[in-house]
Structures are given as structure tokens and as C-alpha cells.
């Protein structure tokens, strides 16, 4: 699914093209080649890495493949890489990748599409400017959405393949928290469960074991805090993400619609438009700004146009014109926070993120 979104968005960039694809599933390969008719199929990842006409690699395999694939590339040929989140699924791989990154001579960008959704990019700009809120003190991110979709081989039904819901899905939000608060969290506590989704499903590995709802509270330096609220049986919502930042001067909210293709337009009409709501304390009162996204970009994916903007920036990195914005280290920090939250939800422990196994660098 995500690989095809990357191909649709690459096709919108005149200076980039997909030249070769490694995809072990025959029907997904056919679908990918249909989106990139100029590309050829190759039979192995090694053949892809060795191809002389390849200037950069995009990794969109299942989560559990990413670490080994990054390490295999590092051992064979250093090329610029855009790797889908999460960069890996366990703490041992975090350590291996941190070590690899020290030696890697080309840029590695972790795909964190949420940063590049136009309403969220505007929120980040406003929060960093501090004009509406002053320094951010409280941040909450609420995602209320549909259950996990079906994937090739049902890999996303089990924690061992994904790292757990708080890694797979929520690494995006922990990344946004680090970006918005301009700091690493120092401590977290999580509560989560699998109350409804996938409990009647059965696979060769058994019944899915993934969380479908959770709350995570994170402390940041300077007496600041953030909350993540995730619910994956709430697809009836008008907005999928509702992000709220409050500081001494006021509050900003960001309302982000879910994928356009899931909106019931036949009964409810046009899908909702992304919004920023600025609510200063003085003079008090909310002001709402609609954030419009180019309909061509909306149609090219499920992420409010963000995949296009991310590729535009990654292309500049490949051309040597810009620096990586979301490093492998950023991607690994988001994984560590997600794994720590999974651990906390399972054990009831508060996790220290400043030292020991969960230390963020
Ligand atoms: N950033 C985002 O917003 C976002 C959204 C969706 C998915 N993703 C990420 O994209 C990745 C793929 O997810 P998806 O939803 O497309 O899953 P998917 O199951 O639809 O696609 C995964 C594809 O990888 C192929 N594959 C399996 N083993 C492989 C291997 N060893 N090498 C190369 N390809 C292999 C499968 O055949 C399949 O076609 C995941 O890491 C997921 O977390 C990111």
C-alpha cells in the first residue's frame, strides 16, 4: 500500500523516476509496475542495490524487514535511503542501527509523513514561532481512526512483526512530539489494551496481539508534558487527528481529516477540510483557518499530500541541495519511545527515558 503511494507521488516529480523495483509478491509487483511503467522488476534486493542506474533507495517493506535491509545496504553499497517508519522493531536493532549510522556515508531519511501534512507543517511553524501560544507547555495528540487494514501476509496483526501498535502507528506521533516540543521526553507512562479489534481473527500465528487503544503520558524537560490518545475503533469521526498545543499566551489546535477515500461522501457530502484553530487568551476567542490541500496530492495517497512534499525534500537531499530533515537517529528515537510505551502498557511501569535500556540519545 505505502510503496504504491510512494510510486504515485514520485510520478508527480519530473526530476525523479522509479527505475527498478524489488517486490517478492507477484500481484503487488504487477500493481507497482502498473504505477511505474518505466521501471523494471529485479529478483533480489542485492540486484536492486547493485543497479548502476539507481541513485537512491526507498524502503517500503514490512516493519520487521527494515533493520536487516538497512544493514544489508550498508554492507554492500552506500546510497541515499528513504526508509519507511518504523526504522526497526526492537531495542537490539536500535543499537545495531545506531552503530551503522556512524559509518554510513550517504544520507538516510526516516519517512515521517505526518510532519509534511500541510496543516501539521503550519502547526509546527506556528508553535516554533511561539506567537500564538508562547513556549509550548502542554501538547495532546488524539488519533481516532479505523482499525488496521489488511496487509500482504497479514504481517501487521502481530507485535513481533510491527514492534507493537505504539511503535507501528504511534512512532509518527512521538516524532511529532519531539519536533513540536523541541526536546526529548524524559519519562512516560502508558495504559493500553486490545478491547475490540481483530479478537475474532485467527492466523497460523494465532489471534492478533496488537493494542487497539491506548493513552500515553510523557514528561518533557522544564515541567512540560504531552498526551497521546489512540483509538482504532472510531472511524466515524469527522477528523482523524486532533492536535492541541497550549502555552501561556493561548492555544492552537490542528484538525486533520483521515484518508479521503474512506469519507462517506455519498451520505455526508464533501470530506472535511483541515483546520487550524487559534485561541488566544487575550483577546479571548477562537479563530479558524481552513488549510486547503491540492486535490491532486490528496488523490495520490492517504496522507493529506504529505508523501509528495516529503519526496520533494528527499529529492533535494539526493541532489546534494539540502540536508536530511528526519534522520535515522530521529526515526530510532521514535521507535525507542514507542517500545517504552508498549513496555509500560504491558507492565504498568513508569519508564525513564534518560538512562538505562530506554535512554534516548
Ligand atoms: N508513513 C506512513 O504514513 C505509512 C503508512 C502506511 C504504511 N507505512 C509503512 O510502510 C511499510 C509497508 O506498509 P504497507 O502498509 O505498505 O504494507 P503492505 O503489506 O501493503 O506492503 C508491504 C509490501 O512489502 C512486500 N515485502 C515483503 N517482504 C519484503 C522484502 N523482504 N523486501 C521487499 N518487499 C517485501 C510485500 O510483498 C508487500 O507488497 C511499513 O513499514 C509501514 O509501517 C507507513
Amino acid at each position: 500500500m505505502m510503496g504504491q503511494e510512494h510510486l504515485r507521488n514520485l510520478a508527480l516529480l519530473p526530476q525523479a523516476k522509479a527505475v527498478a523495483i524489488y517486490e517478492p509478491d507477484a500481484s503487488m509487483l504487477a500493481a507497482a509496475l502498473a504505477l511505474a511503467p518505466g521501471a523494471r522488476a529485479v529478483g533480489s534486493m542485492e540486484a536492486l542495490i547493485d543497479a548502476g542506474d539507481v541513485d537512491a533507495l526507498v524502503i517500503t517493506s514490512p516493519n520487521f524487514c527494515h533493520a536487516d535491509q538497512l544493514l544489508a545496504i550498508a554492507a554492500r553499497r552506500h546510497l541515499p535511503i528513504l526508509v519507511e517508519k518504523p526504522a526497526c522493531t526492537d531495542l537490539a536493532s536500535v543499537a545495531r542501527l545506531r552503530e551503522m549510522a556512524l559509518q554510513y556515508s550517504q544520507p538516510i531519511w526516516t519517512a515521517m509523513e505526518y510532519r509534511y501534512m500541510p496543516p501539521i507543517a503550519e502547526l509546527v511553524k506556528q508553535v516554533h514561532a511561539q506567537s500564538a501560544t508562547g513556549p509550548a507547555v502542554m501538547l495532546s495528540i488524539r488519533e481516532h481512526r479505523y482499525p488496521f487494514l489488511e496487509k500482504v501476509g497479514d504481517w501487521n496483526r502481530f507485535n513481533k512483526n510491527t514492534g507493537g501498535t505504539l511503535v507501528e502507528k504511534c512512532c509518527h506521533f512521538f516524532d511529532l512530539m519531539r519536533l513540536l516540543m523541541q526536546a526529548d521526553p524524559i519519562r512516560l507512562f502508558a495504559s493500553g489494551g486490545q478491547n475490540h479489534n481483530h479478537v475474532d481473527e485467527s492466523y497460523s500465528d494465532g489471534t492478533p496481539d496488537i493494542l487497539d487503544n491506548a493513552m500515553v503520558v510523557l514528561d518533557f524537560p522544564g515541567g512540560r508534558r504531552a498526551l497521546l490518545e489512540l483509538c482504532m475503533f472510531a472511524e466515524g469521526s469527522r477528523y482523524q487527528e486532533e492536535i492541541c498545543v497550549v502555552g501561556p499566551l493561548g492555544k492552537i489546535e490542528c484538525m486533520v481529516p483521515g484518508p479521503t477515500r474512506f469519507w462517506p461522501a455519498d451520505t455526508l457530502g464533501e470530506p472535511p477540510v483541515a483546520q487550524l484553530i487559534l485561541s488566544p487568551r487575550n483577546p479571548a476567542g477562537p479563530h479558524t483557518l481552513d488549510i486547503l490541500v491540492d486535490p491532486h496530492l490528496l488523490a495520490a495517497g492517504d496522507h493529506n499530500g504529505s508523501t509528495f512534499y516529503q519526496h520533494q525534500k528527499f529529492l533535494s537531499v539526493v541532489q546534494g541541495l539540502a540536508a536530511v530533515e528526519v534522520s535515522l537517529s530521529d526515526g530510532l528515537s521514535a521507535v525507542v519511545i514507542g517500545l517504552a510505551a508498549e513496555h509500560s502498557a504491558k507492565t504498568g511501569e513508569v519508564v525513564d527515558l534518560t538512562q538505562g535500556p530506554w535512554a534516548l540519545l
Side-chain angles (χ1 to χ4, degrees), residues 185-221:
I186 53 176
R187 181 167 47 236
L188 67 73
F189 172 74
S191 166
Q194 183 186 12
N195 292 54
H196 292 292
N197 294 354
H198 320 302
V199 290
D200 299 329
E201 297 174 10
S202 172
Y203 303 92
S204 55
D205 280 336
T207 302
D209 58 358
I210 45 179
L211 301 178
D212 63 16
N213 72 102
M215 291 187 182
V216 186
V217 178
L218 303 96
D219 279 330
F220 281 78

Side-chain angles (χ1 to χ4, degrees), residues 1-3 22-25 28 60-63 65-66 69 84-86 111 113-114 151-152 155 168 172 303:
M1 186 202 83
M2 200 58 201
Y22 169 53
E23 163 57 84
D25 180 272
M28 292 300 264
T60 66
S61 52
N63 301 3
C65 299
H66 297 174
Q69 291 183 332
E84 262 305 336
K85 48 52 63 177
E113 281 80 6
Y114 277 77
K151 299 290 167 188
V152 177
W155 62 268
E168 149 63 10
H172 276 299
H303 300 92

